[in-house]
mmCIF file of all heavy atoms in Angstrom:
data_model
loop_
_atom_site.group_PDB
_atom_site.id
_atom_site.type_symbol
_atom_site.label_atom_id
_atom_site.label_comp_id
_atom_site.label_asym_id
_atom_site.label_seq_id
_atom_site.Cartn_x
_atom_site.Cartn_y
_atom_site.Cartn_z
ATOM 1 N N GLY R 1734 -49.702 -16.194 -47.206
ATOM 2 C CA GLY R 1734 -49.010 -15.574 -48.322
ATOM 3 C C GLY R 1734 -48.187 -14.365 -47.956
ATOM 4 O O GLY R 1734 -47.760 -13.605 -48.829
ATOM 5 N N THR R 1735 -47.949 -14.152 -46.670
ATOM 6 C CA THR R 1735 -47.148 -12.999 -46.252
ATOM 7 C C THR R 1735 -45.754 -13.080 -46.871
ATOM 8 O O THR R 1735 -45.087 -14.118 -46.765
ATOM 9 C CB THR R 1735 -47.023 -12.962 -44.711
ATOM 10 O OG1 THR R 1735 -48.330 -12.878 -44.136
ATOM 11 C CG2 THR R 1735 -46.202 -11.758 -44.273
ATOM 12 N N PRO R 1736 -45.300 -12.027 -47.549
ATOM 13 C CA PRO R 1736 -43.977 -12.085 -48.195
ATOM 14 C C PRO R 1736 -42.862 -12.390 -47.191
ATOM 15 O O PRO R 1736 -42.815 -11.795 -46.108
ATOM 16 C CB PRO R 1736 -43.815 -10.682 -48.788
ATOM 17 C CG PRO R 1736 -45.205 -10.159 -48.917
ATOM 18 C CD PRO R 1736 -45.979 -10.741 -47.780
ATOM 19 N N THR R 1737 -41.982 -13.289 -47.573
ATOM 20 C CA THR R 1737 -40.871 -13.651 -46.702
ATOM 21 C C THR R 1737 -39.975 -12.455 -46.383
ATOM 22 O O THR R 1737 -39.519 -12.313 -45.229
ATOM 23 C CB THR R 1737 -40.045 -14.787 -47.333
ATOM 24 O OG1 THR R 1737 -40.908 -15.912 -47.568
ATOM 25 C CG2 THR R 1737 -38.908 -15.211 -46.423
ATOM 26 N N PRO R 1738 -39.671 -11.549 -47.344
ATOM 27 C CA PRO R 1738 -38.860 -10.373 -46.995
ATOM 28 C C PRO R 1738 -39.491 -9.505 -45.911
ATOM 29 O O PRO R 1738 -38.773 -8.913 -45.094
ATOM 30 C CB PRO R 1738 -38.758 -9.614 -48.325
ATOM 31 C CG PRO R 1738 -38.913 -10.663 -49.375
ATOM 32 C CD PRO R 1738 -39.911 -11.621 -48.804
ATOM 33 N N LEU R 1739 -40.839 -9.420 -45.888
ATOM 34 C CA LEU R 1739 -41.494 -8.642 -44.842
ATOM 35 C C LEU R 1739 -41.285 -9.289 -43.477
ATOM 36 O O LEU R 1739 -41.017 -8.606 -42.481
ATOM 37 C CB LEU R 1739 -42.993 -8.515 -45.142
ATOM 38 C CG LEU R 1739 -43.826 -7.788 -44.084
ATOM 39 C CD1 LEU R 1739 -43.331 -6.358 -43.881
ATOM 40 C CD2 LEU R 1739 -45.307 -7.792 -44.468
ATOM 41 N N ILE R 1740 -41.417 -10.612 -43.431
ATOM 42 C CA ILE R 1740 -41.173 -11.321 -42.174
ATOM 43 C C ILE R 1740 -39.733 -11.104 -41.718
ATOM 44 O O ILE R 1740 -39.465 -10.840 -40.542
ATOM 45 C CB ILE R 1740 -41.465 -12.827 -42.342
ATOM 46 C CG1 ILE R 1740 -42.943 -13.043 -42.668
ATOM 47 C CG2 ILE R 1740 -41.080 -13.601 -41.077
ATOM 48 C CD1 ILE R 1740 -43.291 -14.482 -43.007
ATOM 49 N N ALA R 1741 -38.796 -11.200 -42.677
ATOM 50 C CA ALA R 1741 -37.382 -10.995 -42.346
ATOM 51 C C ALA R 1741 -37.140 -9.582 -41.816
ATOM 52 O O ALA R 1741 -36.371 -9.388 -40.856
ATOM 53 C CB ALA R 1741 -36.520 -11.260 -43.569
ATOM 54 N N ALA R 1742 -37.784 -8.587 -42.418
ATOM 55 C CA ALA R 1742 -37.608 -7.202 -41.974
ATOM 56 C C ALA R 1742 -38.121 -7.014 -40.544
ATOM 57 O O ALA R 1742 -37.486 -6.335 -39.723
ATOM 58 C CB ALA R 1742 -38.325 -6.254 -42.925
ATOM 59 N N CYS R 1743 -39.273 -7.621 -40.249
ATOM 60 C CA CYS R 1743 -39.820 -7.526 -38.886
ATOM 61 C C CYS R 1743 -38.912 -8.217 -37.882
ATOM 62 O O CYS R 1743 -38.689 -7.715 -36.764
ATOM 63 C CB CYS R 1743 -41.215 -8.138 -38.848
ATOM 64 S SG CYS R 1743 -42.463 -7.203 -39.747
ATOM 65 N N LEU R 1744 -38.373 -9.378 -38.261
ATOM 66 C CA LEU R 1744 -37.461 -10.091 -37.363
ATOM 67 C C LEU R 1744 -36.188 -9.281 -37.133
ATOM 68 O O LEU R 1744 -35.629 -9.289 -36.024
ATOM 69 C CB LEU R 1744 -37.119 -11.460 -37.945
ATOM 70 C CG LEU R 1744 -38.257 -12.485 -37.954
ATOM 71 C CD1 LEU R 1744 -37.813 -13.770 -38.655
ATOM 72 C CD2 LEU R 1744 -38.713 -12.818 -36.529
ATOM 73 N N LEU R 1745 -35.721 -8.570 -38.157
ATOM 74 C CA LEU R 1745 -34.550 -7.715 -37.995
ATOM 75 C C LEU R 1745 -34.837 -6.605 -36.981
ATOM 76 O O LEU R 1745 -34.002 -6.317 -36.108
ATOM 77 C CB LEU R 1745 -34.161 -7.107 -39.342
ATOM 78 C CG LEU R 1745 -32.964 -6.144 -39.325
ATOM 79 C CD1 LEU R 1745 -31.687 -6.875 -38.903
ATOM 80 C CD2 LEU R 1745 -32.782 -5.502 -40.705
ATOM 81 N N LEU R 1746 -36.024 -5.997 -37.075
ATOM 82 C CA LEU R 1746 -36.392 -4.956 -36.102
ATOM 83 C C LEU R 1746 -36.460 -5.520 -34.692
ATOM 84 O O LEU R 1746 -36.021 -4.885 -33.724
ATOM 85 C CB LEU R 1746 -37.743 -4.349 -36.475
ATOM 86 C CG LEU R 1746 -37.782 -3.365 -37.653
ATOM 87 C CD1 LEU R 1746 -39.210 -2.908 -37.907
ATOM 88 C CD2 LEU R 1746 -36.881 -2.170 -37.378
ATOM 89 N N ILE R 1747 -37.023 -6.720 -34.559
ATOM 90 C CA ILE R 1747 -37.135 -7.349 -33.240
ATOM 91 C C ILE R 1747 -35.743 -7.629 -32.677
ATOM 92 O O ILE R 1747 -35.478 -7.407 -31.486
ATOM 93 C CB ILE R 1747 -37.977 -8.632 -33.333
ATOM 94 C CG1 ILE R 1747 -39.433 -8.263 -33.616
ATOM 95 C CG2 ILE R 1747 -37.870 -9.459 -32.053
ATOM 96 C CD1 ILE R 1747 -40.278 -9.426 -34.071
ATOM 97 N N GLY R 1748 -34.838 -8.106 -33.541
ATOM 98 C CA GLY R 1748 -33.470 -8.339 -33.091
ATOM 99 C C GLY R 1748 -32.775 -7.053 -32.683
ATOM 100 O O GLY R 1748 -32.097 -6.994 -31.645
ATOM 101 N N LEU R 1749 -32.946 -5.997 -33.492
ATOM 102 C CA LEU R 1749 -32.356 -4.704 -33.151
ATOM 103 C C LEU R 1749 -32.918 -4.168 -31.836
ATOM 104 O O LEU R 1749 -32.207 -3.518 -31.063
ATOM 105 C CB LEU R 1749 -32.623 -3.702 -34.273
ATOM 106 C CG LEU R 1749 -31.811 -3.867 -35.557
ATOM 107 C CD1 LEU R 1749 -32.374 -2.977 -36.663
ATOM 108 C CD2 LEU R 1749 -30.336 -3.552 -35.316
ATOM 109 N N GLY R 1750 -34.200 -4.437 -31.584
ATOM 110 C CA GLY R 1750 -34.809 -3.977 -30.340
ATOM 111 C C GLY R 1750 -34.379 -4.777 -29.130
ATOM 112 O O GLY R 1750 -34.286 -4.249 -28.016
ATOM 113 N N THR R 1751 -34.082 -6.060 -29.333
ATOM 114 C CA THR R 1751 -33.655 -6.906 -28.219
ATOM 115 C C THR R 1751 -32.198 -6.673 -27.858
ATOM 116 O O THR R 1751 -31.805 -6.770 -26.695
ATOM 117 C CB THR R 1751 -33.859 -8.393 -28.581
ATOM 118 O OG1 THR R 1751 -35.216 -8.593 -28.979
ATOM 119 C CG2 THR R 1751 -33.535 -9.296 -27.410
ATOM 120 N N GLY R 1752 -31.366 -6.360 -28.862
ATOM 121 C CA GLY R 1752 -29.932 -6.197 -28.655
ATOM 122 C C GLY R 1752 -29.545 -5.260 -27.520
ATOM 123 O O GLY R 1752 -28.685 -5.601 -26.701
ATOM 124 N N PRO R 1753 -30.144 -4.055 -27.405
ATOM 125 C CA PRO R 1753 -29.747 -3.147 -26.322
ATOM 126 C C PRO R 1753 -29.940 -3.722 -24.927
ATOM 127 O O PRO R 1753 -29.190 -3.379 -24.013
ATOM 128 C CB PRO R 1753 -30.664 -1.931 -26.549
ATOM 129 C CG PRO R 1753 -30.949 -1.951 -28.013
ATOM 130 C CD PRO R 1753 -31.035 -3.399 -28.382
ATOM 131 N N ALA R 1754 -30.945 -4.566 -24.750
ATOM 132 C CA ALA R 1754 -31.199 -5.118 -23.418
ATOM 133 C C ALA R 1754 -30.194 -6.193 -23.037
ATOM 134 O O ALA R 1754 -30.026 -6.489 -21.854
ATOM 135 C CB ALA R 1754 -32.612 -5.695 -23.352
ATOM 136 N N MET R 1755 -29.522 -6.805 -24.013
ATOM 137 C CA MET R 1755 -28.651 -7.930 -23.715
ATOM 138 C C MET R 1755 -27.434 -7.495 -22.915
ATOM 139 O O MET R 1755 -27.040 -8.145 -21.957
ATOM 140 C CB MET R 1755 -28.245 -8.630 -25.007
ATOM 141 C CG MET R 1755 -29.443 -9.105 -25.815
ATOM 142 S SD MET R 1755 -29.013 -10.078 -27.256
ATOM 143 C CE MET R 1755 -28.605 -11.636 -26.506
ATOM 144 N N GLY R 1756 -26.806 -6.394 -23.310
ATOM 145 C CA GLY R 1756 -25.681 -5.877 -22.543
ATOM 146 C C GLY R 1756 -26.056 -4.677 -21.695
ATOM 147 O O GLY R 1756 -25.566 -4.514 -20.576
ATOM 148 N N GLY R 1757 -26.946 -3.827 -22.219
ATOM 149 C CA GLY R 1757 -27.311 -2.604 -21.513
ATOM 150 C C GLY R 1757 -27.981 -2.850 -20.181
ATOM 151 O O GLY R 1757 -27.742 -2.124 -19.212
ATOM 152 N N ALA R 1758 -28.822 -3.889 -20.103
ATOM 153 C CA ALA R 1758 -29.509 -4.178 -18.840
ATOM 154 C C ALA R 1758 -28.508 -4.566 -17.761
ATOM 155 O O ALA R 1758 -28.642 -4.166 -16.595
ATOM 156 C CB ALA R 1758 -30.534 -5.288 -19.048
ATOM 157 N N SER R 1759 -27.495 -5.341 -18.117
ATOM 158 C CA SER R 1759 -26.485 -5.738 -17.131
ATOM 159 C C SER R 1759 -25.670 -4.529 -16.667
ATOM 160 O O SER R 1759 -25.333 -4.420 -15.481
ATOM 161 C CB SER R 1759 -25.551 -6.798 -17.734
ATOM 162 O OG SER R 1759 -26.255 -7.973 -18.046
ATOM 163 N N ILE R 1760 -25.362 -3.637 -17.593
ATOM 164 C CA ILE R 1760 -24.605 -2.438 -17.221
ATOM 165 C C ILE R 1760 -25.380 -1.620 -16.190
ATOM 166 O O ILE R 1760 -24.837 -1.182 -15.176
ATOM 167 C CB ILE R 1760 -24.293 -1.594 -18.469
ATOM 168 C CG1 ILE R 1760 -23.301 -2.334 -19.372
ATOM 169 C CG2 ILE R 1760 -23.746 -0.225 -18.077
ATOM 170 C CD1 ILE R 1760 -23.075 -1.668 -20.708
ATOM 171 N N VAL R 1761 -26.673 -1.427 -16.431
ATOM 172 C CA VAL R 1761 -27.485 -0.645 -15.496
ATOM 173 C C VAL R 1761 -27.617 -1.369 -14.166
ATOM 174 O O VAL R 1761 -27.464 -0.772 -13.092
ATOM 175 C CB VAL R 1761 -28.877 -0.366 -16.091
ATOM 176 C CG1 VAL R 1761 -29.772 0.312 -15.058
ATOM 177 C CG2 VAL R 1761 -28.763 0.511 -17.331
ATOM 178 N N ALA R 1762 -27.897 -2.679 -14.208
ATOM 179 C CA ALA R 1762 -28.093 -3.437 -12.967
ATOM 180 C C ALA R 1762 -26.853 -3.395 -12.093
ATOM 181 O O ALA R 1762 -26.938 -3.196 -10.870
ATOM 182 C CB ALA R 1762 -28.466 -4.889 -13.295
ATOM 183 N N GLN R 1763 -25.675 -3.555 -12.693
ATOM 184 C CA GLN R 1763 -24.451 -3.618 -11.903
ATOM 185 C C GLN R 1763 -23.971 -2.254 -11.436
ATOM 186 O O GLN R 1763 -23.211 -2.170 -10.467
ATOM 187 C CB GLN R 1763 -23.351 -4.303 -12.719
ATOM 188 C CG GLN R 1763 -23.623 -5.774 -12.968
ATOM 189 C CD GLN R 1763 -22.523 -6.433 -13.769
ATOM 190 O OE1 GLN R 1763 -21.776 -5.769 -14.491
ATOM 191 N NE2 GLN R 1763 -22.407 -7.747 -13.658
ATOM 192 N N ASN R 1764 -24.399 -1.189 -12.109
ATOM 193 C CA ASN R 1764 -23.927 0.147 -11.749
ATOM 194 C C ASN R 1764 -24.969 0.986 -11.033
ATOM 195 O O ASN R 1764 -24.758 2.186 -10.823
ATOM 196 C CB ASN R 1764 -23.445 0.877 -13.009
ATOM 197 C CG ASN R 1764 -22.157 0.294 -13.544
ATOM 198 O OD1 ASN R 1764 -21.084 0.571 -13.036
ATOM 199 N ND2 ASN R 1764 -22.267 -0.553 -14.555
ATOM 200 N N SER R 1765 -26.075 0.383 -10.652
ATOM 201 C CA SER R 1765 -27.108 1.123 -9.927
ATOM 202 C C SER R 1765 -27.189 0.693 -8.466
ATOM 203 O O SER R 1765 -28.066 1.161 -7.742
ATOM 204 C CB SER R 1765 -28.471 0.914 -10.600
ATOM 205 O OG SER R 1765 -28.819 -0.455 -10.621
ATOM 206 N N VAL R 1766 -26.290 -0.189 -8.021
ATOM 207 C CA VAL R 1766 -26.286 -0.668 -6.639
ATOM 208 C C VAL R 1766 -24.885 -0.532 -6.072
ATOM 209 O O VAL R 1766 -23.911 -0.395 -6.823
ATOM 210 C CB VAL R 1766 -26.738 -2.144 -6.567
ATOM 211 C CG1 VAL R 1766 -28.144 -2.307 -7.120
ATOM 212 C CG2 VAL R 1766 -25.761 -3.058 -7.284
ATOM 213 N N PRO R 1767 -24.738 -0.592 -4.746
ATOM 214 C CA PRO R 1767 -23.388 -0.567 -4.157
ATOM 215 C C PRO R 1767 -22.563 -1.756 -4.633
ATOM 216 O O PRO R 1767 -23.097 -2.809 -4.977
ATOM 217 C CB PRO R 1767 -23.666 -0.663 -2.652
ATOM 218 C CG PRO R 1767 -25.060 -0.188 -2.484
ATOM 219 C CD PRO R 1767 -25.791 -0.585 -3.715
ATOM 220 N N ARG R 1768 -21.259 -1.583 -4.598
ATOM 221 C CA ARG R 1768 -20.359 -2.633 -5.065
ATOM 222 C C ARG R 1768 -20.548 -3.930 -4.292
ATOM 223 O O ARG R 1768 -20.410 -5.023 -4.847
ATOM 224 C CB ARG R 1768 -18.917 -2.155 -4.932
ATOM 225 C CG ARG R 1768 -17.896 -3.141 -5.455
ATOM 226 C CD ARG R 1768 -16.516 -2.520 -5.441
ATOM 227 N NE ARG R 1768 -15.535 -3.394 -6.039
ATOM 228 C CZ ARG R 1768 -14.304 -3.016 -6.343
ATOM 229 N NH1 ARG R 1768 -13.928 -1.790 -6.101
ATOM 230 N NH2 ARG R 1768 -13.458 -3.875 -6.882
ATOM 231 N N SER R 1769 -20.878 -3.836 -3.014
ATOM 232 C CA SER R 1769 -21.023 -5.035 -2.194
ATOM 233 C C SER R 1769 -22.236 -5.873 -2.574
ATOM 234 O O SER R 1769 -22.383 -6.998 -2.099
ATOM 235 C CB SER R 1769 -21.135 -4.639 -0.707
ATOM 236 O OG SER R 1769 -22.220 -3.742 -0.510
ATOM 237 N N ASP R 1770 -23.111 -5.348 -3.444
ATOM 238 C CA ASP R 1770 -24.319 -6.082 -3.848
ATOM 239 C C ASP R 1770 -24.302 -6.462 -5.330
ATOM 240 O O ASP R 1770 -25.328 -6.881 -5.869
ATOM 241 C CB ASP R 1770 -25.575 -5.236 -3.577
ATOM 242 C CG ASP R 1770 -25.908 -5.138 -2.098
ATOM 243 O OD1 ASP R 1770 -25.702 -6.135 -1.387
ATOM 244 O OD2 ASP R 1770 -26.350 -4.067 -1.659
ATOM 245 N N ILE R 1771 -23.151 -6.334 -5.986
ATOM 246 C CA ILE R 1771 -23.111 -6.552 -7.434
ATOM 247 C C ILE R 1771 -23.489 -7.982 -7.802
ATOM 248 O O ILE R 1771 -24.217 -8.228 -8.770
ATOM 249 C CB ILE R 1771 -21.718 -6.180 -7.987
ATOM 250 C CG1 ILE R 1771 -21.581 -4.665 -8.050
ATOM 251 C CG2 ILE R 1771 -21.510 -6.779 -9.382
ATOM 252 C CD1 ILE R 1771 -20.205 -4.188 -8.459
ATOM 253 N N GLY R 1772 -22.990 -8.971 -7.057
ATOM 254 C CA GLY R 1772 -23.315 -10.364 -7.375
ATOM 255 C C GLY R 1772 -24.797 -10.635 -7.281
ATOM 256 O O GLY R 1772 -25.393 -11.266 -8.166
ATOM 257 N N THR R 1773 -25.413 -10.155 -6.212
ATOM 258 C CA THR R 1773 -26.851 -10.352 -6.037
ATOM 259 C C THR R 1773 -27.639 -9.613 -7.105
ATOM 260 O O THR R 1773 -28.627 -10.132 -7.637
ATOM 261 C CB THR R 1773 -27.274 -9.854 -4.643
ATOM 262 O OG1 THR R 1773 -26.438 -10.465 -3.658
ATOM 263 C CG2 THR R 1773 -28.727 -10.213 -4.354
#
Side-chain angles (χ1 to χ4, degrees):
T1735 301
T1737 302
L1739 177 60
I1740 297 173
C1743 291
L1744 290 176
L1745 178 63
L1746 284 178
I1747 291 165
L1749 286 169
T1751 306
M1755 303 186 76
S1759 296
I1760 292 172
V1761 174
Q1763 292 180 337
N1764 289 281
S1765 59
V1766 300
R1768 183 173 185 169
S1769 57
D1770 287 324
I1771 284 175
T1773 308

